[in-house]
């Protein structure tokens, strides 16, 4: 398949649903050979069954030997996208130390180790996309754990962009996106929350996984873009 990622290999870390799936499909449709990787390889195989150009691998971002083993199996790789996260929500008095550690381990330390092992396998024109989030730029009570994790992911992207140059490194900072992650709220609470966010956002609607996938493709295919965080959030921090 021809496209801006024709004949390139893209590794996408994450689940077989939501943003990770949208990014995987979009990269494949842009011509890439895509490797979807996560802790549940069997689940990824099932999620992408019947999708040509997509294979599945196993990796645990909280386990460096698992990351090193993935690099040994992959060999050369053109681009890396890490969408994995583990949220630590709640007021300060209720925050759990282990939850904070998991959040940093999954979204900051894990991607750092991922790049440590995979950057040597990448060409000079390769790129890396990490994930931050709107909580880092719109501080709110109850989201401190998420905010500090996302802020660290922003700094990590800039730091890696400098040290790994000319390999490009950028971050994506999504706002509230309808990924299915909000379904635990219950139908009525989710609808009320989305209505409130939509009413306050300048764009006046909730984001979609395709909005984020398009931003990732822009980061992957823009040769003059590095060390940046792309805020795809409907303008939420302005409100």
């Amino acid at each position: 398949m021809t496209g801006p990622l024709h004949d390139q290999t893209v590794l996408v870390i994450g689940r077989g649903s939501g943003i990770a799936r949208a990014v995987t499909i979009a990269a494949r449709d842009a011509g890439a050979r895509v490797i979807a990787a996560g802790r549940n390889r069997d689940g990824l195989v099932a999620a992408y069954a019947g999708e040509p150009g997509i294979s599945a691998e196993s990796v645990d971002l909280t386990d460096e030997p698992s990351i090193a083993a993935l690099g040994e199996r992959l060999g050369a790789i053109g681009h890396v996208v890490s969408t994995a996260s583990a949220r630590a929500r709640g007021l300060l008095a209720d925050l759990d130390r282990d939850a904070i550690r998991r959040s940093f381990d999954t979204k900051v330390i894990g991607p750092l180790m991922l790049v440590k092992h995979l950057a040597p396998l990448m060409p000079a024109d390769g790129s890396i996309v990490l994930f931050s989030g709107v909580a880092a730029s719109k501080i709110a009570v109850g989201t401190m754990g998420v905010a500090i994790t996302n802020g660290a992911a922003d700094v990590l992207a800039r730091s890696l962009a400098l040290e790994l140059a000319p390999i490009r490194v950028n971050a994506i900072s999504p706002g509230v996106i309808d990924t299915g992650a909000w379904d635990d709220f219950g139908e009525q609470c989710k609808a009320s929350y989305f209505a409130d966010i939509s009413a306050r956002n300048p764009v006046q609607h909730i984001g979609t996984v395709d909005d984020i996938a398009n931003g990732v493709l822009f980061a992957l295919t823009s040769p003059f873009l590095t060390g940046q965080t792309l805020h795809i959030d409907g303008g939420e921090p302005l409100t």
Side-chain angles (χ1 to χ4, degrees):
M1 183 180 298
T2 59
L5 292 173
H6 175 65
D7 205 29
Q8 300 183 52
T9 302
V10 178
L11 172 68
V12 180
I13 309 293
R15 299 185 178 93
S17 60
I19 289 173
R21 181 179 181 84
V23 170
T24 297
I25 297 296
R28 189 277 311 275
D29 290 349
R33 298 180 298 272
V34 185
I35 302 164
R39 285 181 293 182
N40 183 3
R41 181 182 180 278
D42 290 342
L44 291 172
V45 169
Y48 296 110
E51 293 284 359
I54 301 172
S55 59
E57 270 286 358
S58 175
V59 69
D60 182 350
L61 289 186
T62 66
D63 179 42
E64 187 173 358
S66 171
I67 295 170
L70 174 66
E72 291 173 0
R73 294 194 302 272
L74 290 181
I77 190 89
H79 305 272
V80 176
V81 182
S82 180
T83 73
S85 66
R87 295 177 180 175
R89 294 187 180 277
L91 299 174
L92 176 61
D94 301 321
L95 284 176
D96 177 74
R97 187 182 185 93
D98 288 339
I100 294 292
R101 282 173 169 165
R102 282 192 300 273
S103 182
F104 268 83
D105 213 7
T106 304
K107 206 165 188 178
V108 181
I109 301 173
L112 176 59
M113 294 298 101
L114 186 72
V115 174
K116 171 186 173 181
H117 290 280
L118 297 189
L121 308 175
M122 299 175 67
D125 61 352
S127 71
I128 297 161
V129 177
L130 307 180
F131 266 69
S132 173
V134 70
S137 54
K138 184 177 183 181
I139 303 302
V141 174
T143 64
M144 182 190 298
V146 180
I148 60 177
T149 302
N150 289 338
D154 287 336
V155 173
L156 176 60
R158 296 200 301 274
S159 299
L160 289 172
L162 189 60
E163 183 163 342
L164 297 180
I167 292 174
R168 298 180 300 103
V169 186
N170 295 288
I172 300 291
S173 179
V176 177
I177 307 298
D178 189 4
T179 64
W182 306 98
D183 292 350
D184 290 345
F185 278 30
E187 187 174 343
Q188 185 173 353
C189 287
K190 174 184 172 180
S192 177
Y193 178 66
F194 277 12
D196 177 61
I197 294 294
S198 297
R200 290 189 284 113
N201 270 1
V203 298
Q204 298 185 358
H205 62 81
I206 297 297
T208 70
V209 295
D210 289 335
D211 292 327
I212 305 305
N214 289 336
V216 172
L217 280 184
F218 176 71
L220 291 176
T221 60
S222 299
F224 206 53
L225 181 76
T226 195
Q228 302 300 310
T229 296
L230 302 181
H231 297 271
I232 308 174
D233 54 25
E236 184 178 345
L238 301 174
T239 64

